[in-house]
Amino acid sequence: MARSRRLSSEQSSARLIEAATELLRLRPPAEVSVREIAARAGVNHGLIHRHFGGKDGLVSAVLERIFRQTGRAIVASMDSDPAEAVYQGLKVLMGERWIAPVVAHLLASRGGPEGIPEASMMSVFGRRLGQDVSPQVRMVVAVGEAATLGWMLFEPLVARGTGLDGLDADQRLRLFASTLAAHLAPLLNA
C-alpha cells in the first residue's frame, strides 16, 4: 500500500482554513466539530490544536483570511475610485456574510475583541493619511464599519423597510458603497 506524502505545516494550515471556511458557510461554529473540519481537510484533528490552539483559533484564522481579502479588494481600487473600492470590499464581505453573526457570537462569548482579528479599514486610512489620523476620521470609519456589519446582518429587512427592495441585491450594494464612499473619500483627500 502506498503511503501518502506528508504535508508541510503551511499546507496543513491552508487545508484546515479552507475546510473550516467551507463548513462555516453551511453551519455556525457550534455545529461544526474539530473532527469534521479535519476530516474534510484530510488531516489529523490534532493539527487544529497544534496550528491554531483549537477551534476558536481556527475560526479566527478563517476570519483573518476573509478580512485580508476584503482589504486587498479595497486597496486595489482606492486610488482610482473610492466608491468602486468600497464596493469591491463589500462584495467580498457579502459573499461571506455568515461571518457577521460569527463575529457577534465571538464578541459576546469572549466579552470583548481579544482574539478576534482586526477588521478595520483604519489600516487603509492609516497608510494613506499617515500616523496622525484625527478622531473625526476614525469615527467616520467606525460608523461605516458599523453600518457594514448591520447591512450584512439585516440587509433584507432594512431594504424592505426603506423601499430599497425594488432594487436587486447588487444595485443595493453599489448604492450602499457609493454612499459610504461619499463620506469617506473627502477624508482621504484631506
Side-chain angles (χ1 to χ4, degrees), residues 90-105:
L90 288 170
K91 223 165 94 169
V92 172
L93 289 176
M94 292 305 282
E96 305 287 357
R97 70 189 310 162
W98 59 270
I99 68 171
V102 169
V103 170
H105 171 77

Side-chain angles (χ1 to χ4, degrees), residues 14-15 49 89 113 135 163:
R15 280 189 177 191
H49 183 74

Side-chain angles (χ1 to χ4, degrees), residues 122 129 131-140 187:
M122 276 314 306
L129 299 173
Q131 295 298 324
D132 192 25
V133 179
S134 74
Q136 179 188 15
V137 170
R138 292 176 188 279
M139 186 52 71
V140 170
L187 299 173

Side-chain angles (χ1 to χ4, degrees), residues 13 16 34-35 37-38 43-58:
S13 293
L16 287 165
V34 168
R35 289 185 186 275
I37 295 167
V43 301
N44 183 293
H45 71 276
L47 291 177
I48 292 174
H49 183 74
R50 179 183 295 162
H51 293 299
F52 303 100
K55 187 167 79 170
D56 279 355
L58 177 55

Side-chain angles (χ1 to χ4, degrees), residues 68-82 84-86 88-89 121 123-125 127-128:
R68 278 195 315 270
Q69 291 169 339
T70 303
R72 283 192 301 271
I74 292 169
V75 168
S77 301
M78 186 59 82
D79 288 333
S80 60
D81 185 353
E84 182 64 20
V86 173
Q88 292 301 326
M121 285 187 9
S123 60
V124 172
F125 282 86
R127 277 184 258 137
R128 184 83 177 258

Side-chain angles (χ1 to χ4, degrees), residues 55-69:
K55 187 167 79 170
D56 279 355
L58 177 55
V59 171
S60 290
V62 168
L63 294 174
E64 186 174 332
R65 185 179 86 170
I66 293 167
F67 297 154
R68 278 195 315 270
Q69 291 169 339

